[in-house]
Amino acid sequence: MNAFLLFLHFFGLMLGAAGGFASGILMRRAAGMPPAEAMTIRGLGPMLAHVSGIGLVLLWVTGLIMVWSKYDGLASLPSLFWVKFVFVVLLTLASGAIHMTYAQIRRTKNPALATRLAVLGPSAGVSSTLAVLFAAFAFN
């Protein structure tokens, strides 16, 4: 059972990374395109954020289950887990802010709000990378 949970956990990591990396690459590419073409590329942002969000939810659910099914609760986790956890929380906050920004853009039709994404996207990426780094040290 724990092996399958770990697989799902890694699958969530893959979804989150795929959406984040694809979004970063496409948004950078869109910056140098004519406005009409760039608008089409930028239109993929919300869909990629949803892919990443699904991955993040899967990570949370499987992670919480594994804390108790494999590690018998929070008390037995290594200290570096808590460093990892800080970055997971920061990633979750950045992801939530990204989703809220896309919702505001959709609701207000104000594309200027997208400037937030230039900060939130990299913040999510750095948080995700550091969470994986500390997970590798915590569970090695």
Side-chain angles (χ1 to χ4, degrees), residues 28 33 65-66 70 77-78 85-87 89 129:
R28 175 167 281 195
M33 295 178 134
I65 292 170
M66 285 190 298
K70 184 172 181 171
L77 293 169
F85 189 74
V86 167
F87 291 112
V89 169
T129 302

Side-chain angles (χ1 to χ4, degrees), residues 1-34:
M1 176 67 165
N2 281 326
F4 185 67
L5 285 171
L6 186 60
F7 162 75
L8 289 176
H9 199 69
F10 287 152
F11 186 68
L13 179 63
M14 290 168 45
L15 286 174
F21 285 128
S23 180
I25 291 167
L26 288 174
M27 297 311 139
R28 175 167 281 195
R29 177 84 170 117
M33 295 178 134

Side-chain angles (χ1 to χ4, degrees), residues 103-116:
Q104 278 186 308
I105 292 168
R106 192 172 45 254
R107 191 173 53 255
T108 65
K109 308 287 189 245
N110 182 0
L113 295 171
T115 57
R116 295 181 199 162

Side-chain angles (χ1 to χ4, degrees), residues 18-50:
F21 285 128
S23 180
I25 291 167
L26 288 174
M27 297 311 139
R28 175 167 281 195
R29 177 84 170 117
M33 295 178 134
E37 291 177 33
M39 184 186 271
T40 301
I41 296 297
R42 288 188 181 107
L44 297 172
M47 187 248 332
L48 293 170
H50 286 301

